[in-house]
């Protein structure tokens, strides 16, 4: 079994433990998750564009840069969740952005949406939906085209009530 598929504590368990600690621990958790989302986007880009095995891609990312223990668990959870639920996530993208065929979307746009929809729709997620959308939009500003932030915000916002904590 690859590291990617090994069970990790759910994000809600990790965040609850951090909140019960002190403010510094909670702040560090937020920083680690932010870095893990960036690394997940990079990993998904590689998986999507050159079809490398997800477990190997994540292991290579973590060998190069460490987001911390909680961040690494969060990275593995995000990538494994998107890979496992990709068909269902792509159907949601097609539903909420019907004028943009999934295979014609820019790789960055497609994977920002996949990551955001998975985190919004996961029953295990504990990040507030507005934070998930904001984090996706911030990544879109850094890595997408000029229109990507607005597109990502629109699709995630349109899908929010359908998917929030219900689908995956």
């Amino acid at each position: 079994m690859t590291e990617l598929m090994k069970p990790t504590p759910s994000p809600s368990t990790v965040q609850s433990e951090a909140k019960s600690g002190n403010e510094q621990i909670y702040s560090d958790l937020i920083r680690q998750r932010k870095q893990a989302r960036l690394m997940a986007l990079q990993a998904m880009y590689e998986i999507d564009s050159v079809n490398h095995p997800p477990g190997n891609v994540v292991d290579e990312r973590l060998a190069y840069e460490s987001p911390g223990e909680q961040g690494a668990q969060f990275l593995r959870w995000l990538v494994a969740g998107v890979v496992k639920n990709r068909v269902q996530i792509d159907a949601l993208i097609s539903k909420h952005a019907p004028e943009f065929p999934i295979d014609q979307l820019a790789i960055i746009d497609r994977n920002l949406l996949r990551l955001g929809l998975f985190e919004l729709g996961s029953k295990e997620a504990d990040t507030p939906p507005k934070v998930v959308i904001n984090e996706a939009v911030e990544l879109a500003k850094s890595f997408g085209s000029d229109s990507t932030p607005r597109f990502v915000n629109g699709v995630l916002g349109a899908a929010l009530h359908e998917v929030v904590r219900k689908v995956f």
Side-chain angles (χ1 to χ4, degrees):
M1 178 182 332
T2 68
E3 283 291 314
L4 180 63
M5 300 304 165
K6 285 185 180 175
T8 59
S10 73
S12 57
T13 303
V14 172
Q15 188 167 359
S16 295
E17 290 171 2
K19 278 184 178 177
S20 65
N22 65 34
E23 192 65 31
Q24 179 60 38
I25 294 171
Y26 186 64
S27 175
D28 192 45
L29 174 66
I30 291 170
R31 182 195 55 74
Q32 287 184 33
R33 285 189 176 186
K34 186 177 197 81
Q35 187 177 3
R37 285 185 187 95
L38 167 63
M39 293 172 72
L41 178 61
Q42 293 168 334
M44 291 307 304
Y45 186 95
E46 181 178 343
I47 292 163
D48 197 11
S49 62
V50 292
N51 207 26
H52 287 160
N56 293 349
V57 171
V58 170
D59 289 343
E60 287 295 320
R61 295 263 160 228
L62 290 171
Y64 177 72
E65 179 179 12
S66 175
E69 183 182 337
Q70 306 301 334
Q73 290 175 352
F74 191 68
L75 168 63
R76 290 185 188 286
W77 176 78
L78 280 173
V79 173
V82 170
V83 168
K84 179 181 175 187
N85 297 289
R86 194 175 108 196
V87 171
Q88 196 174 3
I89 293 168
D90 286 355
L92 284 166
I93 295 169
S94 294
K95 178 179 179 181
H96 293 283
E99 56 282 345
F100 299 96
I102 192 82
D103 59 334
Q104 292 179 13
L105 286 174
I107 295 172
I108 287 291
D109 298 8
R110 179 171 53 232
N111 285 292
L112 281 167
L113 291 172
R114 285 173 175 162
L115 288 163
L117 285 168
F118 172 71
E119 193 172 355
L120 286 171
S122 175
K123 294 173 184 147
E124 296 177 354
D126 57 2
T127 307
K130 288 182 180 182
V131 173
V132 173
I133 293 171
N134 186 58
E135 290 287 326
V137 169
E138 290 302 313
L139 287 170
K141 288 177 184 176
S142 296
F143 297 101
S145 68
D146 289 343
S147 61
T148 300
R150 192 170 36 167
F151 176 68
V152 167
N153 187 55
V155 174
L156 294 179
L160 179 62
H161 295 296
E162 179 181 346
V163 300
V164 74
R165 311 292 182 251
K166 299 176 189 171
V167 183
F168 311 109

